[in-house]
Amino acid sequence: MFSPSQEEHCAPNKEPVKYGELVVLGYNGSLPNGDRGRRKSRFALYKRPKANGVKPSTVHVISTPQASKAISCKGQHSISYTLSRNQTVVVEYTHDKDTDMFQVGRSTESPIDFVVTDTISGTQNNDETQITQSTISRFACRIVCDRSAPYTARIFAAGFDSSKNIFLGEKAAKWKNPDGHMDGLTTNGVLVMHPKGGFTEESKPGVWREISVCGDVYTLRETRSAQQRGKLVENETNVLQDGSLIDLCGATLLWRTADGLFHAPTQKHIEALRQEINAARPQCPVGLNTLAFPSINRKDVVEEKQPWAYLSCGHVHGYHNWGHRSDTEANERECPMCRTVGPYVPLWLGCEAGFYVDAGPPTHAFTPCGHVCSEKSAKYWSQIPLPHGTHAFHAACPFCATQLSGEHNCIKLIFQGPID
């Protein structure tokens, strides 16, 4: 019998092992200007040809900056904890043949595998709101995957820079644990939420926690960059589960395991659902014209046959220019079917398959953005408090990052079939 690793080396045509995928919230299948290189809306983690993981080895306590520089320049990975002007603890890391390391951050330097920029919510996606200073760390976090089954993935705050160093300065929160090992937090922190019940129709939101540089789990600080760390949560780990959310203070990522993706709907499935809705020829109950969801690659241009909906009642119409209640509330309209007043918006199909918790038909729309997905998916995301800024949390549409509103954050759509 071969061991799995021998089998992999003996079968050059065999597909590489996939650990999972990171999907950035707020993008409906691709970045606004298209996915390019290491900047994209989703990133797949595959088993590397050669292990590049590292594990802690030697600890040095140093009293001069020159000596700490000498150690961090040895070409070995290291983490430096500056305790005071004349004391630094440097933890050297050595090669780990059993793990693969992937790094995520804002930097475009080569150690970063997945380049992430601040997500601007769909409602503000114009030039005026371009963020001047990002709150995402240049070397935000690292994900370490076991090279042997079950391919466990773990998350750690901070990533190694081009000189293979993680540097926690005097002002960073850091401490010595009872067992003697050093640990710390990054400036704005890396938050993680594991859903209860996995990423399924039955899932419920979990509790947001902060992950330390060494991968321990803590309760949240008072604000993102407070000096005082939260309390250690001893019965929780940094192991990523299917549906775990990772917040980097400016962008939130969803982790999908390879097994989770295997059972999840695909882009093809969503396209089939789109065609099925269009084949039923839904009609505008007023204009009686046939409506159709535009194809996935036309997902940003409002088309003539585009379905529109009144988000207070869910009635689906074609576009019309009447029903305005006042000049001030440009988007408040009265539904001609039931007289309910509320936002009137074009409907968009949620194209990013990774955000669906089930393969159900697209029957519900998020309010106020009008992205459409399955009922279970809409209800799941409607109740998740996503970090916003340095201490706020609110539910947001996973497809465009718009803050949700309305009675339940989403609405069941009422389509009218053809009359003939």
Side-chain angles (χ1 to χ4, degrees):
M1 278 290 287
F2 283 126
S3 72
S5 57
Q6 283 173 303
E7 274 185 305
E8 277 157 26
H9 292 309
C10 296
N13 298 330
K14 195 174 171 191
E15 287 225 342
V17 170
K18 186 180 198 175
Y19 297 130
E21 284 191 20
L22 290 167
V23 192
V24 189
L25 267 60
Y27 301 108
N28 195 9
S30 65
L31 298 184
N33 303 322
D35 291 348
R36 291 192 187 92
R38 291 175 294 150
R39 263 185 221 265
K40 44 194 165 188
S41 65
R42 57 157 57 201
F43 172 65
L45 284 69
Y46 287 100
K47 185 171 185 175
R48 296 188 185 274
K50 262 174 77 176
N52 75 330
V54 291
K55 56 189 177 187
S57 62
T58 325
V59 178
H60 305 269
V61 180
I62 288 153
S63 54
T64 67
Q66 289 76 16
S68 75
K69 269 212 175 78
I71 287 174
S72 56
C73 289
K74 270 168 58 177
Q76 231 174 323
H77 288 83
S78 64
I79 302 183
S80 307
Y81 301 87
T82 307
L83 302 180
S84 65
R85 267 183 205 160
N86 49 13
Q87 195 183 28
T88 299
V89 176
V90 179
V91 181
E92 282 191 298
Y93 277 63
T94 184
H95 177 67
D96 181 2
K97 66 178 185 350
D98 299 320
T99 62
D100 284 337
M101 180 170 69
F102 301 88
Q103 300 207 140
V104 181
R106 185 169 48 86
S107 170
T108 54
E109 288 178 34
S110 59
I112 295 294
D113 297 283
F114 187 30
V115 178
V116 179
T117 50
D118 294 75
T119 304
I120 298 169
S121 76
T123 50
Q124 319 166 303
N125 222 336
N126 59 37
D127 295 335
E128 287 169 39
T129 55
Q130 284 307 305
I131 288 172
T132 47
Q133 203 172 2
S134 175
T135 44
I136 301 173
S137 169
R138 293 175 63 243
F139 299 90
C141 70
R142 58 201 195 278
I143 291 170
V144 176
C145 302
D146 289 348
R147 286 173 65 84
S148 52
Y151 309 114
T152 304
R154 293 178 175 84
I155 183 164
F156 299 82
F160 294 99
D161 63 18
S162 295
S163 57
K164 299 184 179 177
N165 193 27
I166 290 171
F167 182 80
L168 293 177
E170 264 186 87
K171 289 185 178 160
K174 58 193 137 11
W175 59 90
K176 186 183 265 192
N177 281 310
D179 66 0
H181 85 262
M182 293 295 300
D183 203 351
L185 304 172
T186 53
T187 307
N188 289 323
V190 172
L191 308 190
V192 171
M193 188 203 82
H194 305 303
K196 293 175 189 157
F199 196 66
T200 66
E201 302 177 18
E202 309 308 319
S203 296
K204 292 277 179 287
V207 180
W208 283 100
R209 303 290 194 210
E210 180 161 11
I211 302 293
S212 73
V213 171
C214 293
D216 283 339
V217 182
Y218 288 85
T219 58
L220 300 189
R221 291 179 262 181
E222 274 191 23
T223 60
R224 284 300 281 251
S225 55
Q227 289 278 279
Q228 192 60 42
R229 70 178 189 266
K231 291 189 176 71
L232 179 68
V233 185
E234 294 190 35
N235 60 342
E236 293 181 25
T237 74
N238 63 337
V239 172
L240 294 174
Q241 308 161 15
D242 192 33
S244 290
L245 287 167
I246 301 162
D247 187 81
L248 304 178
C249 197
T252 308
L253 283 59
L254 171 70
W255 170 255
R256 297 301 313 266
T257 60
D259 186 57
L261 288 167
F262 182 76
H263 294 100
T266 61
Q267 204 91 36
K268 275 187 184 155
H269 177 80
I270 292 169
E271 174 59 17
L273 290 173
R274 182 186 79 85
Q275 290 180 9
E276 208 175 301
I277 286 188
N278 291 350
R281 293 176 50 235
Q283 286 200 330
C284 173
V286 178
L288 303 182
N289 48 318
T290 302
L291 308 174
F293 278 98
S295 68
I296 283 172
N297 56 3
R298 300 274 300 162
K299 64 178 190 288
D300 301 318
V301 186
V302 179
E303 302 204 335
E304 201 184 337
K305 287 184 166 186
Q306 186 113 10
W308 286 62
Y310 288 89
L311 294 181
S312 294
C313 58
H315 280 111
V316 178
H317 289 256
Y319 178 72
H320 49 244
N321 205 8
W322 65 78
H324 289 281
R325 288 308 296 266
S326 70
D327 295 336
T328 49
E329 288 292 335
N331 206 23
E332 291 286 300
R333 304 271 197 104
E334 183 180 270
C335 171
M337 300 295 287
C338 65
R339 320 300 269 174
T340 307
V341 175
Y344 173 65
V345 301
L347 297 178
W348 304 99
L349 199 57
C351 305
E352 176 48 76
F355 298 145
Y356 283 73
V357 298
D358 68 339
T363 54
H364 284 62
F366 289 107
T367 57
C369 61
H371 276 104
V372 179
C373 63
S374 69
E375 177 180 9
K376 296 262 173 71
S377 301
K379 289 188 170 167
Y380 177 69
W381 288 104
S382 295
Q383 54 186 336
I384 288 195
L386 293 169
H388 180 72
T390 55
H391 50 260
F393 289 82
H394 61 228
C397 168
F399 301 105
C400 68
T402 299
Q403 183 174 345
L404 300 181
S405 60
E407 203 179 332
H408 302 293
N409 290 340
C410 64
I411 184 94
K412 183 177 179 7
L413 297 172
I414 305 164
F415 286 93
Q416 177 167 302
I419 289 168
D420 47 299

